[in-house]
Amino acid sequence: MVWTKPAINVIWGLAGVFILLILATLIIQLLSLTLPERNYTELKQRVKSWWAITLLFSTSLILSPGIAVIFFGFVSFLALKEYLSLIPTRRADRRVLFWAYLAIILQYYWIYSRWYGMFLVFIPVYMFLILPMRMVILGEIHGFLKAIGTLHWGLMLTVFSISHVAYLLRLPPAGNPIAGGAGLLLYLLFLTALNDISQYLWGKSLGRHKVLPTVSPNKTWEGLLGGIITTIVLAVILAPWLTPFNLTHAFWLGLLLGIAGFIGDVTVSALKRDLGVKDSGNLLPGHGGILDRIDSLTYTAPLFFHFTVYFYFRGMLA
């Protein structure tokens, strides 16, 4: 199969991301020189991690959409592995986990082959039925409900939700003649990341009133509203360059991503608080684990995907 290169708008979009990273690196260096008494280690680690993530993502996207699909499949694998390392599992469940990991390969194969129907139902229907059947065959009934609920939710969170990001690359180019699936992907990832960052910055500078103090004490109404407004503005500005969205759709998508990103963030925070851990892992210095980075995306990706498909790709997918 012959792969087309990302549209020039996507190349410029990626260039903009690298320019922002360069500016962030220079600002940190300047702060280190002007305010040497302060510790900027965590901030430096975060920027270095963003450099690594952006380089890997950009390289895979430019080389081939197929490679980018594999990249996101690997992200799902790392996220599920991290999730299962946090959740207490029974000894008998280890035989069932093979089928959960196999589901990653199959789910991303449906994406690669553009089998839209199977992509939609494989995990919510087939794996929903297969996994408990496999557990029953093992004959272990103690803790059955907790074990199967934990595994089902983990697959939905780390594989099914995130796989919507990859399917954006397999959407028909006719639905977005401006920048194709790569443009939609970059638009989603950029807005989701900027929503997280802007909510953090607005909260730090103006935050006074807690939203969910028992779940995420650092989240404030000021940060939430500031992040949503910032995301709406960016969604409207970037839409003509990367997407087919009109002004109305861009506005509502900015609002949707701002709210959904917050919910995804606090949902994973609730999971970590229940387990008594601060971060889901230590794979990314300064960031924690994979789940800490994709928490917002677990909610924004499927909502963005189905909104886009409904309005711009209806009738194009079999």
Side-chain angles (χ1 to χ4, degrees):
M1 180 177 292
V2 178
W3 299 102
T4 58
K5 293 182 179 180
I8 190 65
N9 288 1
V10 176
I11 300 297
W12 281 114
L14 290 172
V17 174
F18 280 105
I19 289 172
L20 290 175
L21 285 173
I22 291 171
L23 289 174
T25 303
L26 293 175
I27 290 171
I28 293 173
Q29 293 299 325
L30 183 62
L31 288 173
S32 299
L33 293 173
T34 56
L35 299 170
E37 68 277 5
R38 296 188 179 181
N39 187 359
Y40 295 99
T41 302
E42 183 178 351
L43 192 57
K44 290 179 180 178
Q45 289 177 333
R46 282 176 175 263
V47 173
K48 286 181 180 179
S49 293
W50 276 119
W51 270 108
I53 294 169
T54 305
L55 284 169
L56 285 172
F57 165 69
S58 301
T59 302
S60 64
L61 185 62
I62 292 173
L63 287 177
S64 159
I67 294 177
V69 169
I70 294 173
F71 171 81
F72 285 109
F74 186 61
V75 170
S76 281
F77 166 76
L78 292 176
L80 180 62
K81 183 174 181 292
E82 191 174 271
Y83 170 84
L84 293 173
S85 70
L86 295 173
I87 307 295
T89 55
R90 307 173 303 172
R91 182 179 295 273
D93 295 337
R94 294 175 185 175
R95 300 180 188 178
V96 183
L97 297 184
F98 166 79
W99 297 98
Y101 284 116
L102 179 62
I104 300 174
I105 299 174
L106 293 174
Q107 179 70 1
Y108 282 88
Y109 174 74
W110 312 138
I111 296 171
Y112 180 83
S113 61
R114 289 190 172 97
W115 193 348
Y116 182 64
M118 186 60 79
F119 158 75
L120 288 179
V121 303
F122 175 64
I123 290 178
V125 177
Y126 291 101
M127 294 309 297
F128 179 83
L129 299 174
I130 291 172
L131 292 178
M133 179 190 70
R134 185 68 182 94
M135 283 189 177
V136 168
I137 291 174
L138 292 174
E140 179 60 66
I141 60 172
H142 180 70
F144 173 82
L145 181 60
K146 181 179 179 181
I148 195 59
T150 296
L151 192 52
H152 275 152
W153 191 66
L155 269 179
M156 290 295 292
L157 186 77
T158 62
V159 182
F160 184 67
S161 288
I162 299 303
S163 69
H164 286 78
V165 181
Y167 207 107
L168 290 172
L169 293 170
R170 310 302 286 148
L171 292 175
N176 183 23
I178 295 172
L184 293 170
L185 174 61
L186 187 59
Y187 185 79
L188 168 63
L189 295 180
F190 188 78
L191 289 181
T192 300
L194 264 293
N195 178 57
D196 286 346
I197 294 170
S198 58
Q199 286 192 20
Y200 172 81
L201 294 176
W202 282 110
K204 279 290 185 181
S205 57
L206 300 175
R208 297 292 184 274
H209 304 88
K210 307 294 184 182
V211 182
L212 295 168
T214 58
V215 178
S216 187
N218 294 325
K219 300 290 185 183
T220 64
W221 282 107
E222 293 82 359
L224 173 59
L225 294 175
I228 291 174
I229 293 171
T230 302
T231 304
I232 291 173
V233 171
L234 289 172
V236 171
I237 292 173
L238 294 174
W241 300 95
L242 295 171
T243 76
F245 305 146
N246 57 39
L247 180 62
T248 302
H249 284 166
F251 173 86
W252 286 111
L253 272 171
L255 178 63
L256 179 67
L257 295 179
I259 296 173
F262 171 81
I263 296 173
D265 189 340
V266 296
T267 298
V268 175
S269 292
L271 168 67
K272 291 185 291 185
R273 285 197 170 273
D274 183 38
L275 296 172
V277 297
K278 181 180 181 296
D279 296 320
S280 61
N282 55 10
L283 181 63
L284 303 172
H287 289 277
I290 290 292
L291 273 177
D292 295 310
R293 288 302 93 217
I294 66 169
D295 49 8
S296 298
L297 201 60
T298 59
Y299 270 65
T300 61
L303 293 174
F304 175 85
F305 178 88
H306 291 292
F307 182 102
T308 303
V309 167
Y310 180 79
F311 285 107
Y312 295 94
F313 293 87
R314 223 177 339 176
M316 296 186 189
L317 303 178

